[in-house]
Amino acid sequence: MLLAHLDVPAMAPGWTRDPFRAVVTGGRIYGAGVRDMKAGLAAMVMAMRAVRQARVRLEGDLVLVAVPGHMEQGVGAKRVFDAGVTADLVLVGEPTGLDLLSTHLGWAVLELTVHGRETSTVTAGEGVNALERAATVIRSLAGMRFRRAPVSSYVRRFLPATPCYVSAVGIQGGNPYYPNVVPGRCTLTVDVRFVPGKAPRDILREVKARLAVLARQDRTLRVSARLKYDFALQPVMSRPEEPLYRVTRDAVRWARGAEPRLAGFFYTTDGGVFQEGSGSPTVVCGPGHAPLRAPDEWVSTREYLQSTAVYVRAALETAGQTREAMAAAYPPGAATR
């Protein structure tokens, strides 16, 4: 499976060119979302086209899965998986600069509802301002230290030792058309990233425990918390001993003429859905680099073309082979073929 997502992050401010018109100039491709991840998706489409036009007969299936809903914690990939779409091997085209991802963080979203007591601003002493109480919650979350998870030395090598971090990223409350009303309710959206070994429900319990401490300090504070979705986008780990890792490594060596770096990444990919759900060996490798959201966003034309070649070669080397055959063809420590 070649896996990509269709949606892109919210456009960054400060563009000096039309973000919705792709422009190729000076060895770069400019456009909104080209790093995350239109370049990777386009390279995968062209790899599929190249294999078809070459009339190569594959013994197995080569599947391109392009999903919406990645920015909503991977709901599109989850829907595809729940519909029965799986693969023995998954290659994700998220931006890595054509390096190979070793492991990345998981992703969950919390929804916190802060309850106040609505009243008129002229009788504010009788009300409880939910927005003011939300400010207390946000400051408290920013300072949280979570219990450590049983993280392996492999994960610690590439990711920070902290078990997770949370960020309040959205707030809804009050009514701008009624500025004389003290808001009695507001909702916080909280982004949660976590390392392998840390469960989102454990994080939720720790957040609730922190909120309980705040409530004891302020009897007017009432907050309910829940996971926004009934699943979490799990971390991905790809190891050098996995055949798909070695196939992709050799494909990058061949296309780029240089050794890819094995690295950890702080973002999260849809690959976690398939690795967790079906145990599919998963590797992330694609064109583009940080920052993923930036004005005048661009990807190197050369890197885009190289990634297309990587996907073609990986497809030819894997589709139709058993895992045992791949392991024999790509033993650990093997030189470039």
Side-chain angles (χ1 to χ4, degrees), residues 305-329:
L305 294 172
Q306 289 173 338
S307 65
T308 305
V310 168
Y311 300 144
V312 169
R313 176 159 176 150
L316 298 179
E317 293 288 333
T318 59
Q321 292 200 65
T322 64
R323 293 187 187 183
E324 291 76 17
M326 285 185 60

Side-chain angles (χ1 to χ4, degrees), residues 7-334:
D7 49 335
V8 301
M11 190 174 62
W15 278 76
T16 62
R17 59 181 73 234
D18 184 353
F20 301 113
R21 178 173 173 264
V23 174
V24 181
T25 181
R28 295 178 176 183
I29 309 168
Y30 290 89
V34 69
R35 291 177 186 164
D36 189 14
M37 57 170 291
K38 289 187 179 295
L41 171 59
M44 288 181 165
V45 171
M46 296 309 294
M48 298 282 286
R49 182 181 181 186
V51 171
R52 184 177 181 85
Q53 288 186 337
R55 300 185 183 277
V56 175
R57 185 177 184 275
L58 300 175
E59 296 298 326
D61 296 322
L62 175 61
V63 181
L64 172 64
V65 174
V67 296
H70 170 73
M71 304 300 168
E72 289 74 44
Q73 200 190 286
V75 294
K78 182 67 162 54
R79 181 68 177 268
V80 168
F81 177 80
D82 289 344
V85 179
T86 60
D88 296 303
L89 304 165
V90 177
L91 181 54
V92 186
E94 292 275 17
T96 65
L98 286 186
D99 286 327
L100 300 180
L101 180 142
S102 61
T103 184
H104 68 55
L105 298 174
W107 183 21
V109 179
L110 302 183
E111 191 172 80
L112 276 57
T113 302
V114 183
H115 304 274
R117 186 166 60 249
E118 187 175 303
T119 187
S120 168
T121 55
V122 297
T123 56
E126 301 175 7
V128 177
N129 191 318
L131 290 176
E132 292 178 354
R133 299 307 186 275
T136 300
V137 173
I138 292 171
R139 286 193 296 269
S140 182
L141 290 178
M144 279 197 69
R145 295 294 180 267
F146 291 86
R147 297 188 184 93
R148 293 191 176 276
V151 178
S152 69
S153 58
Y154 181 81
V155 172
R156 283 198 302 272
R157 176 185 168 192
F158 296 104
L159 293 176
T162 52
C164 74
Y165 65 87
V166 299
S167 302
V169 295
I171 184 168
Q172 291 180 308
N175 189 329
Y177 299 104
Y178 292 94
N180 62 328
V181 175
V182 172
R185 175 190 176 100
C186 76
T187 302
L188 298 175
T189 300
V190 179
D191 181 275
V192 176
R193 304 298 168 128
F194 57 95
V195 295
K198 190 73 174 178
R201 295 200 176 276
D202 292 337
I203 297 169
L204 178 61
R205 278 194 289 270
E206 292 181 53
V207 168
K208 286 183 174 179
R210 168 58 70 92
L211 296 175
V213 172
L214 294 179
R216 288 194 293 270
Q217 296 170 352
D218 180 356
R219 296 297 181 181
T220 67
L221 180 66
R222 293 190 301 116
V223 187
S224 56
R226 69 181 186 95
L227 289 169
K228 185 172 183 178
Y229 303 98
D230 61 357
F231 73 99
L233 200 49
Q234 294 295 323
V236 156
M237 286 195 295
S238 63
R239 298 176 180 275
E241 64 267 20
E242 291 178 349
L244 180 59
Y245 168 87
R246 298 195 295 277
V247 167
T248 311
R249 174 204 61 195
D250 287 1
V252 174
R253 284 174 174 170
W254 169 74
R256 195 170 65 177
E259 183 75 15
R261 183 173 59 100
L262 184 63
F265 291 86
F266 296 108
Y267 60 62
T268 308
T269 76
D270 291 312
V273 171
F274 298 92
Q275 189 173 80
E276 180 199 26
S278 59
S280 303
T282 302
V283 168
V284 183
C285 179
H289 57 280
L292 302 186
R293 180 176 177 266
D296 294 338
E297 184 181 345
W298 61 272
V299 165
S300 159
T301 307
R302 178 181 177 84
E303 193 169 275
Y304 160 71
L305 294 172
Q306 289 173 338
S307 65
T308 305
V310 168
Y311 300 144
V312 169
R313 176 159 176 150
L316 298 179
E317 293 288 333
T318 59
Q321 292 200 65
T322 64
R323 293 187 187 183
E324 291 76 17
M326 285 185 60
Y330 288 87

